Amino acid sequence: MPCLFCKIAAGEIPSVKIYEDDAVLAFLDIAPVEKGHTLIISKRVHSEALIETPPDVLAEMTAAAKKIGAAMLKAGWGGFNVVQNNYPDGGQAVPHIHLHIIPRAKGRKTPLAWRSGSAAYADDAERDAIAASIRACL
Ligand code: 5GP
Ligand code: ZN
């Protein structure tokens, strides 16, 4: 079994567990962007990214995200982010689908590190053409 997260799911590599049920395992990220940064993986399937992952598996992961997010709020954080990277070009380092649940401190209004508006369209025609090019591939 070459996949790092399959090994963590199988207990072959230790992790700090946050939550586990028959379908998913949630554990602390080894290099957190915030203290409490948690990863959720499926224990049932190995798949690389979102589009290879069956909807029922995504539903199980999302159900766990709700539980963990609620727990973070109850534990005193003010909010949290759910992040899911796809493929190396999308920032995905581990090719086993996972959700990042990143707790955020109360009152801090932490933005995700992106620059809002940095990719402004040249004009409405370019905007509409890009929208159409995505719709054409649905
Ligand atoms: P990605 O960039 O693929 O969305 O995120 C992968 C995450 O997995 C990273 O945040 C990284 O810190 C975490 N990670 C990588 N290897 C390990 C490991 O062996 N154990 C744990 N707990 N986290 C890991
Ligand atoms: Zn895997």
Side-chain angles (χ1 to χ4, degrees), residues 122-136:
D123 50 30
D124 288 356
E126 186 196 30
R127 179 200 64 198
D128 293 345
I130 290 171
S133 73
I134 298 169
R135 284 196 298 268

Side-chain angles (χ1 to χ4, degrees), residues 3-6 45-47 95-96:
C3 170
L4 173 65
F5 281 1
C6 281
V45 301
H46 168 90
S47 58
H96 177 127

Side-chain angles (χ1 to χ4, degrees), residues 69-82:
M72 287 170 171
L73 297 184
K74 205 171 162 188
W77 277 283
F80 61 95
N81 301 111
V82 179

